[in-house]
Amino acid sequence: MPRRLSLAAGAALAVALVSSPGLLSCARPQPSAPSPPAAPPSPSARPAAAPPADGARRRARELGIVIGRLPTGRLNAITDVPGVRVGHVTHHRGAGRLAPGKGPVRTGVTVILPTSDDFWHNKLPAASFVLNGNGEMTGLHYVNEFGVLESPIVFTNTLAVGRAFDGAVQYMLRRYPAIGIDEPTVGPIVGECDDSALNDIRGLHVSAEDVLAAAEQAADGPVQEGAVGGGTGMICYDFKCGIGTASRVVPEAAGGFIVGAIVQANFGARGELRIDGVPVGQEIRDLLPVPDYHSEGSLLAVVATDAPLSARQLGRVARRVSLAVGRTGTISRDGSGDLFLAFATGNRIAAEPRELTRTLREVDDGRLNPLFQAAVEAVEEAILNALTMATTTFGQDDHVAYAIPLDRLREVMRRHGRLGEPEPPVREAR
């Protein structure tokens, strides 16, 4: 939900910036020589300089930051769960003064398709949990009443919920022409976070067509992370943030199931940030957004698994997401909308069963602990990937959110004895 702007612009630090198509990246100052304060950049002239030495952004494991003990899936993404697909549409255009209705635009949509087959006539068990309710995710009442997921899941900005909902409805009507005629109506899942700190949110730049395009492009391979899709204008722990994903595989003795997570992160105050237990937010205190915002924001998190779980059990999984969020430091602030959804592909529920009763498999409750652990680890790492993959972004009125400086992050983690050997990237995000 809304990030409230202070009346006066906060001070920015004089850092070297690089211009690339639609984005500006931050050259990282060394810990021994902190940058002195400087005035915010004027709308008419933004500084530019050489690119940072380490080039591209990296995921947490590529930096040597390993969360938890369970192994990741092949892609370390929610798409490791068979059938799950993700697509983005990103709007990043314009610069300088805010002209409501025109820009600058820093927003988009992210669509999660839960399976590659018919999830309308063969629904998936699902449940949700709300840690703090200052936000919106449509359709959760239905999910919790009937325990099923039957539509795409969409992430976007606060004022785009209606248009995104329209797009998800259009997707379902095109795929299932009997909806609203011979079959029931549908209420899709659309979650939001407020990107008005960087985006011309009043311009309503997200359209129903964007959701259709993201769904059409959705793929079961690598997932692009950072300032993309619904995460384009998001800020987390006072660093630029956005979309992040990760996965875990439970031991064969516990079923060998895959658990994947995807988040849209837009929450937390700088001093709260902890990475693998290290108080990073206390160590890196500069590079605050300009203007300085009250850090409320929101978090959307979706957990998927191929385990045969019931809706009741998925409610237990969804509640564990709160533990993952707390591990990154936040207290789930008063103004935050922390909304979580969990679904499973290991069971299917027929929309029109032939029999009076139905039979579903479920993992014995006493053996759920590995799945709880997998969900907590995957969500925690997904939040970190949303941070480390995001790029410094200038938005409306040249408001700026700086990317977390990866070289300084590595140094902080090394000093605290929490940095391992970097893992090679398993793929190039597409």
Side-chain angles (χ1 to χ4, degrees), residues 63-142:
L63 297 170
I65 300 170
V66 177
I67 300 300
R69 302 188 305 275
L70 293 175
T72 71
R74 183 176 65 89
L75 298 173
N76 193 20
I78 194 172
T79 49
D80 284 320
V81 178
V84 177
R85 293 166 291 159
V86 176
H88 305 293
V89 166
T90 300
H91 294 303
H92 189 124
R93 61 182 181 271
R97 292 291 185 187
L98 172 64
K102 297 181 180 179
V105 183
R106 306 288 185 267
T107 195
V109 297
T110 295
V111 172
I112 302 106
L113 300 179
T115 68
S116 57
D117 58 6
D118 184 351
F119 49 77
W120 172 244
H121 296 106
N122 296 286
K123 307 176 193 301
L124 288 76
S128 71
F129 179 71
V130 177
L131 178 61
N132 197 66
N134 198 351
E136 182 59 71
M137 184 181 280
T138 66
L140 295 192
H141 294 304
Y142 181 86

Side-chain angles (χ1 to χ4, degrees), residues 38-349:
S42 69
S44 60
R46 288 177 292 178
D54 66 351
R57 304 295 292 177
R58 296 180 177 86
R59 308 183 84 194
R61 285 175 182 261
E62 295 165 15
L63 297 170
I65 300 170
V66 177
I67 300 300
R69 302 188 305 275
L70 293 175
T72 71
R74 183 176 65 89
L75 298 173
N76 193 20
I78 194 172
T79 49
D80 284 320
V81 178
V84 177
R85 293 166 291 159
V86 176
H88 305 293
V89 166
T90 300
H91 294 303
H92 189 124
R93 61 182 181 271
R97 292 291 185 187
L98 172 64
K102 297 181 180 179
V105 183
R106 306 288 185 267
T107 195
V109 297
T110 295
V111 172
I112 302 106
L113 300 179
T115 68
S116 57
D117 58 6
D118 184 351
F119 49 77
W120 172 244
H121 296 106
N122 296 286
K123 307 176 193 301
L124 288 76
S128 71
F129 179 71
V130 177
L131 178 61
N132 197 66
N134 198 351
E136 182 59 71
M137 184 181 280
T138 66
L140 295 192
H141 294 304
Y142 181 86
V143 166
N144 287 335
E145 183 71 23
F146 295 98
V148 296
L149 175 66
E150 59 187 20
S151 75
I153 304 160
V154 184
F155 292 167
T156 190
N157 78 58
T158 305
L159 299 190
V161 170
R163 293 185 175 195
F165 191 95
D166 288 346
V169 167
Q170 290 181 32
Y171 171 85
M172 293 296 290
L173 295 181
R174 292 182 184 185
R175 186 170 181 183
Y176 305 105
I179 288 178
I181 301 175
D182 299 319
E183 296 178 352
T185 55
V186 63
I189 309 294
V190 180
E192 57 80 21
C193 300
D194 180 15
D195 59 15
S196 60
L198 297 172
N199 175 49
D200 169 29
I201 197 169
R202 287 178 58 92
L204 304 177
H205 298 285
V206 169
S207 68
E209 289 72 24
D210 291 334
V211 175
L212 293 168
E216 179 67 25
Q217 298 166 15
D220 60 2
V223 177
Q224 193 177 6
E225 298 171 289
V228 296
T232 303
M234 302 303 163
I235 300 171
C236 183
Y237 290 117
D238 291 320
F239 285 118
K240 185 66 188 78
C241 203
I243 300 294
T245 189
S247 70
R248 293 294 186 272
V249 181
V250 305
E252 285 298 327
F257 303 117
I258 301 172
V259 176
I262 188 167
V263 303
Q264 179 169 289
N266 192 52
F267 67 95
R270 173 65 61 82
E272 298 173 336
L273 176 60
R274 301 183 72 86
I275 296 180
D276 200 18
V278 175
V280 172
Q282 297 292 328
E283 299 270 357
I284 306 177
R285 300 190 181 192
D286 57 345
L287 300 178
L288 292 170
V290 179
D292 190 11
Y293 308 108
H294 295 287
S295 302
E296 301 293 318
S298 293
L299 171 68
L300 306 176
V302 171
V303 175
T305 180
D306 61 354
L309 301 184
S310 65
R312 176 186 62 82
Q313 293 175 320
L314 287 161
R316 301 183 71 192
V317 172
R319 290 194 292 274
R320 264 66 181 185
V321 173
S322 304
L323 300 176
V325 179
R327 287 186 181 190
T328 67
T330 188
I331 59 171
S332 187
R333 304 174 76 83
D334 173 72
S336 191
D338 302 323
L339 312 173
F340 315 141
L341 177 71
F343 69 87
T345 64
N347 277 317
R348 304 304 284 270
I349 300 171

